[in-house]
């Protein structure tokens, strides 16, 4: 194997390990720009590790090279990113991505790995390897993308089975619309299909995952008129779970089947889903009010998105306003939510969601924040009888108070921050209340003093947490001391923190130490060195196999360059 120069290696890493987002300046002024410029940064890090009393959680030594260079060609900026680590040596094909989206006036071209977002229920940020274009001439909006959404995987990484786990999936998405900024209306479509031949022949084995096909039609828009605004998104998804199924779909009208059949193969495994959300609101200087409605069918999915929180319907009202020359700001929301939209579950859950926040500036030095949330869930039996013992009926309340006090002078600044939070879960089901009720209390007090003339910052933190349930009581309390100091004309920064915490579980106590030391030396604006050392020690009162006495040391040395 031939030895590569350092520059050649960096170039290969940039091209093989980069995820790129490219934008361009107006090419009409290209003659005024420099031919080639390079900026950005890179770092080299070495990590050290050792442990006693427990198995090693990582390698004793590792390293990683990272960088984010930005290459500019006649004003066209191309940001790059690379990562090279010794841990990747075990991979035959590391996860390499490269893509760009150069723009000229109202034309944007996409190539490589891209994450495009057309609307929440159609193409919503799914990574696609391919190409596309966005056109925005005047008030018109056009978009098109084509490429690979999933790469074929013949091995289930969780079980090691060589059955088909994920097929090669390709698709395209198109958008046509009108409008600019916050006033627009878009029609969107995405179609994707699995290649059933992309993972080879599984023989007589039953396929654990069937090749699927999906088409989604979407509508997205928003409009603002003076202080009023409306916005909405909708999606209709046709999802064929097995494109090889021989079962016919007979319950759909023939005219609709012939129309939709031009976009997707419809059979007995085809399912129809819908999802939509709509909001209307009003905004003025110190007042806003928004009402939103959302409904997502059970199992709604699109091959252009990774995940949907489905089978829900909710309506929410969210007011916000300020008083007394904006010294007091009040915001809140109140909503109703339910599931089991198609009566397929054994029970239906209904939730009341409420929250409120008050932020008050009492004086120039004193302020306070108050928060309150309440979540109530009630389940009722559906068509199938369900015993009361299995029905959830509970309410969760949360109250938080956070006063703050700050005194800022020329030679010293004092800051005091106190936080108190209480959570209470009450089971309203008489059959299970005695076992499920619980509450927790969390508090911390932080004091920080800054001495600008001495380039010194000191802090102390006191914290306490307690959780009470029907079966056990756990808690912890501790103190953290630390500070940082700048020296040598701010070229050298030293930081130290020492934390001691005592935890208690079911009457058994344990002591935890966490100490850290940081040192940063800036040679100049381009070069700097950084070291971090951290020690963790756990000392239970009674050492047991599930709770052993152990210690860990982690260290890191890094060199960073900005160019």
């Amino acid at each position: 194997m031939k030895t590569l120069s350092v520059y050649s290696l960096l170039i290969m890493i940039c091209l093989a390990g980069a995820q790129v987002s490219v934008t361009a300046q107006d090419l009409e002024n290209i003659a005024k720009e420099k031919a080639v410029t390079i900026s950005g940064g890179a770092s080299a890090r070495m990590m050290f590790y050792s442990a006693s009393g427990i198995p090693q959680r990582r390698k004793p030594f590792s390293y990683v090279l990272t960088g984010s260079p930005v290459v500019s060609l006649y004003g066209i900026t191309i940001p790059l990113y690379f990562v090279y680590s010794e841990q990747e040596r075990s991979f035959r094909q590391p996860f390499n991505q490269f893509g760009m989206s150069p723009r000229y006036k109202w034309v944007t071209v996409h190539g490589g790995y891209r994450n495009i977002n057309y609307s929440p229920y159609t193409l919503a940020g799914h990574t696609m390897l391919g190409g596309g274009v966005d056109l925005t001439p005047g008030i018109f909006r056009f978009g098109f993308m084509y490429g690979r959404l999933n790469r074929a995987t013949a091995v289930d990484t969780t079980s090691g089975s060589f059955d088909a786990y994920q097929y090669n999936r390709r698709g395209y998405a198109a958008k046509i619309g009108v409008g600019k900024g916050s006033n627009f209306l878009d029609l969107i479509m995405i179609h994707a299909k699995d290649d059933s031949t992309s993972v080879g022949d599984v023989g007589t084995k039953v396929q654990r995952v069937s090749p699927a096909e999906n088409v989604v039609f979407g509508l997205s828009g928003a409009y603002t008129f003076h202080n009023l605004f409306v916005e909405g998104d909708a999606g209709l998804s046709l999802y064929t779970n097995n494109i090889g199924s021989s079962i016919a779909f007979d319950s759909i009208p023939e005219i609709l089947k012939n129309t939709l059949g031009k976009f997707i193969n419809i059979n007995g495994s085809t399912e129809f889903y819908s999802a939509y959300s709509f909001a209307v609101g009003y905004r003025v200087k110190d007042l806003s009010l928004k009402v939103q409605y959302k409904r997502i069918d059970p199992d709604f999915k699109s091959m252009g998105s990774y995940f949907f929180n489905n089978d829900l319907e909710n309506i929410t009202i969210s007011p916000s306003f300020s008083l007394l020359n904006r010294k007091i700001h009040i915001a809140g929301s109140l909503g109703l939510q339910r599931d089991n939209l198609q009566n397929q579950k054994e029970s239906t859950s209904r939730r009341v969601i409420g929250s409120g926040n008050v932020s008050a500036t009492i004086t120039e030095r004193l302020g306070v924040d108050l928060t309150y949330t309440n979540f109530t869930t009630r389940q009722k039996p559906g068509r199938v009888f369900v015993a009361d013992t299995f029905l959830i009926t509970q309410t969760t309340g949360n109250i938080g108070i956070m006063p703050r006090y700050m005194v800022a002078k020329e030679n010293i600044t004092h800051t005091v921050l106190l936080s108190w939070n209480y959570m209470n879960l009450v089971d309203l089901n008489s059959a299970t209340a005695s076992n499920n009720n619980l509450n927790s209390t969390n508090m911390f007090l932080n004091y920080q003093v800054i001495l600008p003339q001495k380039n010194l910052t000191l802090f102390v933190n006191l914290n306490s947490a307690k959780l009470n349930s029907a079966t056990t009581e756990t808690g912890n309390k501790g103190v953290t001391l630390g500070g940082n100091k700048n020296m040598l004309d701010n070229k050298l920064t030293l930081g130290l923190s020492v934390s001691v915490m005592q935890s208690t579980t079911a009457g058994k106590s344990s002591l935890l130490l966490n100490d850290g030391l940081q040192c940063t030396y800036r040679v100049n604006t381009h070069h700097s060195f950084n070291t971090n050392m951290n020690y963790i020690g756990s000392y239970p009162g009674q050492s047991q196999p599930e709770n052993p006495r152990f210690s860990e040391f982690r260290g890191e040395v890094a060199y960073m360059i900005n160019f």
Side-chain angles (χ1 to χ4, degrees), residues 15-85:
L15 294 178
Q19 169 128 9
V20 183
S21 176
V22 180
T23 59
Q25 298 177 355
D26 192 343
L27 297 183
E28 293 180 347
N29 298 321
I30 193 171
K32 302 178 182 179
E33 302 290 344
K34 293 183 179 180
V36 179
T37 60
I38 299 178
S39 60
S43 66
R45 298 162 52 202
M46 295 184 296
M47 284 78 73
F48 308 90
Y49 175 83
S50 65
S52 175
I54 60 172
Q56 300 277 341
R57 305 193 198 193
R58 56 186 300 177
K59 294 183 178 180
F61 172 77
S62 60
Y63 67 86
V64 60
L65 305 176
T66 63
S68 54
V70 179
V71 180
S72 180
L73 304 175
Y74 289 101
I76 302 176
T77 57
I78 307 175
L80 304 172
Y81 179 75
F82 69 84
V83 177
Y84 182 78
S85 171

Side-chain angles (χ1 to χ4, degrees), residues 249-353:
F249 196 111
D250 298 327
S251 60
I252 183 175
E254 195 66 24
I255 184 173
L256 190 58
K257 182 177 181 180
N258 292 336
T259 302
L260 297 177
K262 296 179 180 179
F263 299 97
I264 185 174
N265 177 34
I266 298 177
N267 56 38
S269 69
T270 304
E271 298 178 342
F272 298 78
Y273 312 99
S274 65
Y276 49 90
S277 58
F278 177 81
V280 59
Y282 177 81
R283 294 192 190 100
V284 291
K285 186 176 181 180
D286 294 324
L287 171 67
S288 68
L289 179 65
K290 182 178 180 180
V291 180
Q292 183 177 40
Y293 174 80
K294 177 186 291 186
R295 179 188 172 95
I296 304 178
D297 280 350
D299 296 324
F300 178 89
K301 48 192 172 184
S302 166
M303 288 185 176
S305 179
Y306 289 104
F307 173 77
F308 287 101
N309 191 9
N310 54 62
D311 192 13
L312 62 87
E313 180 185 43
N314 64 41
I315 183 171
T316 307
I317 180 172
S318 305
S320 175
F321 57 93
S322 299
L323 302 172
L324 303 178
N325 295 325
R326 300 184 178 180
K327 290 186 176 181
I328 299 178
H329 181 75
I330 302 174
S333 66
L334 179 64
L336 303 175
Q337 184 182 99
R338 73 179 183 99
D339 66 355
N340 198 17
L341 302 185
Q342 296 182 0
N343 297 321
Q344 297 172 326
K345 298 180 179 178
E346 295 181 349
S347 62
T348 300
S349 299
R350 299 183 183 273
R351 304 183 68 197
V352 178
I353 305 171

